Amino acid sequence: LTSLVSSMSASSSSSSTTSSSSTAKRKRSDPLTRDAPKQVKRRGDLLERKEESIKGSTYNLWYERHGGDASRGANRSSIRTRMPRCVIARDSGVTKGSKKNYAPICIHFARGECSMGAACDFVHRLPGENDIAQLNTFQDVFGRERQRGDKDDMGGSGSFLRDNRTLYVGGLKSVHTIKIEEILRENFSEWGPIEKLRVLLSKQCAFITYEHRVYAEFAKEAMIDQSLNGSGQQERLNIRWATSDPNPAAQRAETQQHFAQADGAVAAYYASLGPEAKAYYDWYASSGSQQQQQQPYPNTDAY
């Protein structure tokens, strides 16, 4: 009997130990519960390596780069590919920003170069439905202010006058590869659902449209200056916002989409109202339409 009791207690302790170890292992592997790891040890060292060729030059706040920086010019091929790259399964995790009601996504996390880890005041994860719901027209998913007009080089946070979801992807060395569209989709779908992808073989570039602006904003920062996995080439991608499509059919479709988004926003706001607020909203809308019908346009010839 004594041996039976001791064996049962031993099995119970071993099972509890196994359970606790599996729970700890799951906590370490689950990006929703584990602490966000540091992507780089010290970001200052990384910046020194990236800007070693442009020391002493003036930093342009509008173009967000140093004067003489060849990262957006003809000498792009002479500069090596950026070292870090964001890997969602490895780099996502809980940060100080995750414990707030809402915090923007860390732009350095998207670039694969955040040295703060769990101490970061921003969020380390992919954009989701919560980011779409909290999105401000005048800010991007990283909390940066959007400008009234696009920059000359179509970089930065973009214009708040356009709901731009399309990225221009240049610098494709493997554009004539048979599987180039498949390679592009595999690399860029990691950051969000893609609505449309078009490759221009003669221009060695591609246009990628995401289902929502937040995914395009994240993908732009995550893939700029990177190379395509699986292409077998060491290209240095040039990622910019795409200009407006001059096709009248595309412009009409974009306008219709904007109206549909506005209608959806109004419908969502109406659904969030309480019964009394809905009743007042319905009364105000109906009374306003009746007043417009009852009051004819004034006769200006009488004055």
Side-chain angles (χ1 to χ4, degrees), residues 263-279:
D263 293 340
V266 172
Y269 173 75
Y270 181 81
S272 65
L273 298 176
E276 296 182 358
K278 285 183 178 179

Side-chain angles (χ1 to χ4, degrees), residues 62 64 135-151 155-165 212-214 217 241 258:
W62 175 252
E64 297 179 343
L135 192 64
N136 189 329
T137 305
F138 301 99
Q139 293 180 332
D140 64 3
V141 73
F142 305 110
R144 300 181 301 176
E145 290 187 2
R146 304 172 72 200
Q147 310 299 324
R148 177 178 177 83
D150 289 309
K151 297 183 178 180
S157 55
S159 170
F160 61 76
L161 296 179
R162 294 179 57 206
D163 189 38
N164 201 346
R165 301 175 292 120
H212 201 278
R213 173 166 62 89
V214 294
E217 291 172 344
W241 290 112
H258 290 169

Side-chain angles (χ1 to χ4, degrees), residues 163-179:
D163 189 38
N164 201 346
R165 301 175 292 120
T166 303
L167 298 177
Y168 164 86
V169 182
L172 298 177
K173 292 184 178 180
S174 53
V175 70
H176 295 293
T177 306
I178 298 177
K179 298 182 179 180

